[in-house]
Amino acid sequence: MDFIIGLLRKVFGLEPRVRSVVGTFWVFLFALPLFPQLLVGQESQILRVFVQDDELKPLTGAYVLLYRLGEEDFSHYCISDANGFCEIRGLTEPSYLLSVSYIGFEKVEEEIEISVPIVLKTITMEIENSELDEVIISAEREITVGRVGISRVTVDDLSRMPSMNIDGDLMAYIQTVPGVITVGDQGGDLYIRGGTPAQNLVLIDNIPIVKPFHISNLFSALPEQVVNSIDIMAGGFDNKYMGSTSAVIDANLKPGNFRSYSSSVSFSPYITSVFLEGPIRKDTRSLMLSGRYSTIDQFSGYLGTDEENINFYDVIGRYSIKGDGFNCSFTGIFTNDRGQINEARANFLEWSNTAIGGKCLGYDERFDHPYEVSLGHSRFTNSEGTEDEIERESSVTNTYMRFDMQEYFRGFKIDYGLNILAQSFSANLNERFTIEQEIDRTIPIFQLYGKTEWKVSDFVTLQPGLGFQVTTLYAPTVEPRLRFLYTPYANNDLQISVAAGVYNQIFDGITDERDAGTTFTVYRPNDIGEPLPSAIHGIFGVQNKFGRYWSTNIEFYYKYHQNIPVSRWEPVAQLEIETALAESNNYGFDASIRYQSARTFFYVGYGWSLSEYSVGQEDVGAWTSGDIFRYNPPHDQRHKLNSTMSFEFGSFTASTNWEFGSGLPYTQVIGFDLFLPSPFDPTDFAGLARTLYNEPYTERLPVYHRLDVSLKREFVLSGIAIMTTELGCINIYDQNNVFYVDLNLLERVDQTGFLPYAGIKISFNQ
């Protein structure tokens, strides 16, 4: 392990001489593609394909194959992206056989003529009830590329998870992914492979959203009904995603139905939702609206369950336009959360997102290369205080304009782009007996990236990339990244992948990690003159497929983070924006096995991990002798195991999820005293109670485990109406899982106990 760590540090930026050589090489490699007028055109034809379903919604991950007439093996291929789009270049024959396949849909085959330089083709696929045959599965295997560190989540994945809403939800699913940790069942914070929530980048239709997760960790702002596809990138992601040092969640919403209207309304004791979609102008314009409102505070406490004083809502809308050679969408997102994690406290947490953005994909034959333009604005605010007064608050505002383009240079496809971003940060900490602290700063950021793919042989593929971040306040960053794929059998029965790179971000978040009863975070830019938070990622993965239904995946990873701001530990439980800079080493492995057929799904995932922080004791306020203080942060979970099963029989669907996690670190208390701040008179004021902490995180909570189950059934009410019912239970065997111990109140706070639920959903289609 020490050898691997040392090698990664040398190659990816910690040795100045190596950094200079690597930087020069990458700049030379990517300079030419950024200037299209210097490129030499190819004397060949181009096929651009847009793949959609019968509602004209894009299909992500469809396989597009071209065969020369009379030949059995395909000569060209591409895989549709989140827009349903893909492009094939280098065509020299006058005609080809086009084959498009997507699991669950009828395969489309037709002969096409390549009579003009750029041919546009729209493929509309029909739903198939039976499984695809072995030929299609075999074709899939020959063209799949490695996605080490990346999980693509589909609507089917979300629907299999037991959830207190009849529709699936990203939050219910993502907690089953190895390497994704939550420190409790409330708060909405995700720790991915050792990174903190502030080190994650979340994009919804290219709009940066700071925290689209609700105060109850059973829900997010991304229910099944609004999702087209979601990529969870736990590390090693490419240069298209900059500004994050740990992980990326890239969600693409589905457009509304372009041909018919549909709607639904659902009720459960914990959440009510309304959904509507349909054409504004048939085949060219559509609208999708989703709204959900929690009723947890009204219905919790029945059947012996614990009362919870929390509530939230989310509203998502998407207006989509389809034209000849372009697709555009405009998205609005609004979320709000408020409540108490521990009702014995007087403090309330609240956060909200307000975002609007648009993006357009252009692929008209008048343009040599496809392009995507995005722009928008988002604002996140979180606060904490009493029911009547806000004591501290922090906000982040993002205004952006993004360009993503392609060029070809000597047969290499070059993806490149520019993101112009203005980030504003504000904070006001006005706690009792402390000096008021404020933050107010706006930072312009320019992010430039380029990446390509080089198929060295039938067995080896390289995907190098390079990114730059330039601001007016900090030194520019250079971020080389690389992916390597080895397929020893020239198909994807067995894939060996490696991903590595350098990552930087301009800001970070500060929270009092000792206190699990609050998730309030101060988001702030890096201090001018101080080194930026940065990270090095290294991932090695092996993926194997057995037959048509079984697949396995194992990944070993290492993340090294530098310049992590951690709040100084003081005896009084309060948040300070005066920080120390820490380093962290995070490594481990994830392993999973998956079985999927037409009606049965089975998944087991296991993760082992270790996270260790190192910080100068004179900076953070440590309790031991020595120059460096090391500790395991509260999200350091050694073992995590998940088992998910789903089975369809008749009109019923049964689902289960069992989760086990080893205990998380916590800090013990060594005593209490009364602190008398000047100039208070001791005859009038007895003093401020404060807690005296022991060394941080030297003890661990008990293990955590629970079993969730659900049973769904559909009833056809009429030709246009369907009723879906669900019975389920969270933590069916009522395991008493410790959330945390409130050391100031000397009170144990448990996670969700036995929680049965029932729901009903009525859907209308015209």
Side-chain angles (χ1 to χ4, degrees):
M1 179 61 69
D2 291 340
F3 170 76
I4 296 174
I5 292 172
L7 181 63
L8 286 169
R9 291 184 180 180
K10 286 184 179 181
V11 173
F12 285 95
L14 296 185
E15 296 292 336
R17 292 183 180 179
V18 175
R19 182 173 64 241
S20 176
V21 174
V22 172
T24 302
F25 168 76
W26 287 99
V27 170
F28 175 77
L29 178 63
F30 284 97
L32 286 179
L34 299 178
F35 299 95
Q37 64 271 22
L38 299 180
L39 303 182
V40 179
Q42 303 295 313
E43 294 182 358
S44 59
Q45 278 72 39
I46 301 169
L47 173 65
R48 292 175 181 166
V49 179
F50 184 80
V51 186
Q52 60 191 15
D53 63 14
D54 57 0
E55 297 177 351
L56 306 191
K57 298 175 182 177
L59 292 177
T60 302
Y63 295 92
V64 179
L65 311 180
L66 282 185
Y67 296 81
R68 292 187 177 93
L69 298 182
E71 296 187 2
E72 294 184 357
D73 294 330
F74 62 85
S75 59
H76 302 80
Y77 75 88
C78 64
I79 303 174
S80 63
D81 60 16
N83 297 300
F85 174 81
C86 70
E87 180 183 75
I88 298 176
R89 288 181 173 249
L91 303 180
T92 56
E93 302 291 328
S95 59
Y96 290 87
L97 176 65
L98 172 67
S99 175
V100 182
S101 61
Y102 189 86
I103 293 179
F105 288 80
E106 296 279 358
K107 182 169 67 170
V108 174
E109 289 188 342
E110 61 180 82
E111 186 174 329
I112 60 170
E113 300 293 328
I114 309 296
S115 56
V116 293
I118 299 178
V119 177
L120 300 182
K121 188 68 177 178
T122 298
I123 300 296
T124 301
M125 307 190 72
E126 302 291 336
I127 294 177
E128 178 189 50
N129 293 323
S130 60
E131 295 182 63
L132 297 179
D133 57 30
E134 189 68 32
V135 174
I136 295 176
I137 300 297
S138 298
E140 240 180 70
R141 291 177 179 172
E142 294 183 36
I143 61 178
T144 301
V145 297
R147 292 171 60 85
V148 62
I150 303 175
S151 301
R152 170 153 289 172
V153 184
T154 65
V155 172
D156 289 338
D157 294 322
L158 300 183
S159 67
R160 296 187 188 103
M161 297 303 304
S163 172
M164 288 163 54
N165 187 26
I166 286 184
D167 296 308
D169 190 281
L170 173 62
M171 195 61 167
Y173 173 86
I174 199 172
Q175 294 180 80
T176 69
V177 177
V180 178
I181 306 299
T182 58
V183 298
D185 64 354
Q186 294 189 45
D189 281 342
L190 295 178
Y191 300 83
I192 301 179
R193 288 187 176 175
T196 67
Q199 293 167 341
N200 300 331
L201 172 65
V202 181
L203 300 173
I204 301 179
D205 279 355
N206 286 349
I207 307 172
I209 305 294
V210 173
K211 191 175 179 179
F213 308 108
H214 289 308
I215 191 169
S216 168
N217 281 0
L218 299 171
F219 301 98
S220 73
L222 291 169
E224 170 192 339
Q225 286 184 304
V226 306
V227 169
N228 182 35
S229 67
I230 302 174
D231 285 340
I232 302 172
M233 307 178 199
F237 43 91
D238 63 43
N239 297 91
K240 181 179 179 180
Y241 305 97
M242 302 184 70
S244 164
T245 56
S246 181
V248 173
I249 300 174
D250 186 8
N252 291 279
L253 305 182
K254 68 177 185 180
N257 194 320
F258 284 90
R259 290 184 168 173
S260 61
Y261 296 97
S262 65
S263 60
S264 67
V265 58
S266 65
F267 305 92
S268 79
Y270 305 103
I271 192 169
T272 298
S273 64
V274 177
F275 178 80
L276 172 68
E277 65 174 337
I280 302 299
R281 179 181 298 170
K282 190 173 181 180
D283 290 354
T284 60
R285 299 182 184 183
S286 72
L287 179 66
M288 181 271 290
L289 288 173
S290 170
R292 301 190 303 168
Y293 185 81
S294 71
T295 52
I296 296 176
D297 56 340
Q298 302 174 34
F299 288 94
S300 61
Y302 78 102
L303 295 179
T305 61
D306 296 330
E307 293 187 7
E308 298 183 70
N309 188 12
I310 60 176
N311 59 78
F312 60 83
Y313 70 81
D314 56 63
V315 178
I316 293 180
R318 191 179 199 243
Y319 179 71
S320 303
I321 303 174
K322 293 174 63 68
D324 294 332
F326 74 91
N327 290 337
C328 292
S329 65
F330 303 91
T331 302
I333 302 167
F334 307 94
T335 75
N336 184 265
D337 290 74
R338 178 176 170 81
Q340 295 174 287
I341 293 179
N342 182 1
E343 290 190 24
R345 291 188 181 185
N347 63 322
F348 282 77
L349 295 167
E350 185 170 6
W351 65 85
S352 63
N353 284 285
T354 302
I356 187 168
K359 64 177 183 178
C360 284
L361 170 69
Y363 54 94
D364 191 275
E365 66 269 19
R366 293 171 294 178
F367 300 98
D368 289 338
H369 302 88
Y371 63 91
E372 186 174 81
V373 179
S374 309
L375 72 162
H377 175 85
S378 66
R379 178 177 173 82
F380 170 81
T381 299
N382 76 142
S383 64
E384 185 177 30
T386 65
E387 191 168 8
D388 301 320
E389 181 182 6
I390 295 177
E391 294 181 347
R392 47 189 182 177
E393 59 183 337
S394 173
S395 66
V396 182
T397 301
N398 293 283
T399 304
Y400 67 94
M401 178 178 291
R402 183 182 183 97
F403 305 88
D404 295 289
M405 294 158 282
Q406 290 182 357
E407 295 286 349
Y408 279 78
F409 178 64
R410 301 190 182 279
F412 289 93
K413 183 181 76 169
I414 310 294
D415 293 291
Y416 68 101
L418 171 67
N419 186 24
I420 303 172
L421 175 66
Q423 285 188 321
S424 298
F425 303 86
S426 65
N428 185 7
L429 309 182
N430 188 21
E431 300 181 80
R432 193 181 182 192
F433 307 122
T434 65
I435 299 175
E436 185 171 335
Q437 305 172 80
E438 292 187 359
I439 297 173
D440 188 5
R441 187 184 301 173
T442 299
I443 304 174
I445 304 171
F446 299 88
Q447 298 172 340
L448 181 68
Y449 79 91
K451 61 178 183 176
T452 188
E453 180 175 303
W454 177 27
K455 195 168 182 60
V456 180
S457 68
D458 291 338
F459 310 98
V460 177
T461 302
L462 294 177
Q463 297 173 339
L466 182 68
F468 303 89
Q469 290 192 86
V470 180
T471 75
T472 57
L473 300 178
Y474 310 105
T477 67
V478 181
E479 304 179 28
R481 301 175 191 177
L482 177 67
R483 282 180 166 264
F484 166 87
L485 172 66
Y486 174 56
T487 53
Y489 305 118
N491 59 40
N492 80 328
D493 283 346
L494 176 64
Q495 296 184 33
I496 300 172
S497 306
V498 176
V502 174
Y503 302 82
N504 293 272
Q505 66 183 66
I506 307 300
F507 75 97
D508 214 311
I510 306 167
T511 188
D512 189 348
E513 293 183 326
R514 294 171 303 182
D515 186 2
T518 179
T519 58
F520 173 76
T521 303
V522 175
Y523 293 90
R524 52 156 236 181
N526 197 65
D527 291 333
I528 298 175
E530 293 290 334
L532 294 175
S534 62
I536 296 173
H537 296 187
I539 307 176
F540 172 81
V542 179
Q543 178 182 330
N544 203 355
K545 288 193 174 183
F546 305 93
R548 298 181 62 182
Y549 307 118
W550 291 92
S551 64
T552 62
N553 186 67
I554 184 168
E555 292 183 6
F556 298 86
Y557 65 88
Y558 169 70
K559 288 183 183 179
Y560 171 69
H561 287 269
Q562 291 186 101
N563 309 315
I564 307 169
V566 294
S567 183
R568 290 180 59 87
W569 291 309
E570 302 292 345
V572 178
Q574 63 189 30
L575 183 64
E576 297 287 349
I577 60 175
E578 182 183 356
T579 61
L581 296 181
E583 298 179 357
S584 74
N585 287 281
N586 312 277
Y587 53 87
F589 71 89
D590 300 337
S592 65
I593 183 169
R594 181 184 181 109
Y595 173 88
Q596 183 175 355
S597 65
R599 292 185 172 271
T600 304
F601 175 83
F602 172 74
Y603 167 86
V604 176
Y606 170 75
W608 181 92
S609 62
L610 184 146
S611 296
E612 183 181 72
Y613 277 38
S614 302
V615 63
Q617 67 159 2
E618 70 281 359
D619 297 325
V620 79
W623 290 255
T624 59
S625 60
D627 296 332
I628 301 296
F629 180 70
R630 292 182 172 86
Y631 64 93
N632 300 112
H635 55 273
D636 175 49
Q637 188 172 58
R638 287 289 179 276
H639 306 279
K640 180 179 178 180
L641 177 66
N642 273 92
S643 175
T644 302
M645 290 183 288
S646 179
F647 179 68
E648 296 180 17
F649 53 100
S651 56
F652 291 90
T653 301
S655 301
T656 67
N657 179 65
W658 184 74
E659 179 179 352
F660 170 88
S662 57
L664 298 169
Y666 74 97
T667 302
Q668 286 186 317
V669 166
I670 58 175
F672 304 90
D673 70 358
L674 293 175
F675 171 66
L676 186 66
S678 176
F680 288 95
D681 185 344
T683 61
D684 297 328
F685 177 65
L688 174 65
R690 64 179 180 179
T691 304
L692 303 179
Y693 290 98
N694 202 344
E695 294 182 26
Y697 313 117
T698 56
E699 302 296 326
R700 287 185 179 265
L701 297 171
V703 298
Y704 164 90
H705 57 93
R706 84 180 195 205
L707 174 65
D708 303 339
V709 299
S710 70
L711 180 66
K712 294 181 183 179
R713 184 180 180 182
E714 286 191 353
F715 300 88
V716 177
L717 301 181
S718 68
I720 63 170
I722 296 176
M723 181 176 69
T724 305
T725 60
E726 180 177 14
L727 294 175
C729 186
I730 303 297
N731 195 1
I732 192 169
Y733 53 72
D734 198 20
Q735 171 66 21
N736 291 325
N737 293 305
V738 179
F739 184 2
Y740 73 103
V741 177
D742 193 312
L743 300 175
N744 295 302
L745 299 175
L746 295 180
E747 178 180 276
R748 167 174 165 159
V749 180
D750 284 341
Q751 302 194 46
T752 300
F754 176 76
L755 187 60
Y757 63 90
I760 183 171
K761 173 183 174 182
I762 301 178
S763 305
F764 302 92
N765 298 282
Q766 296 181 0

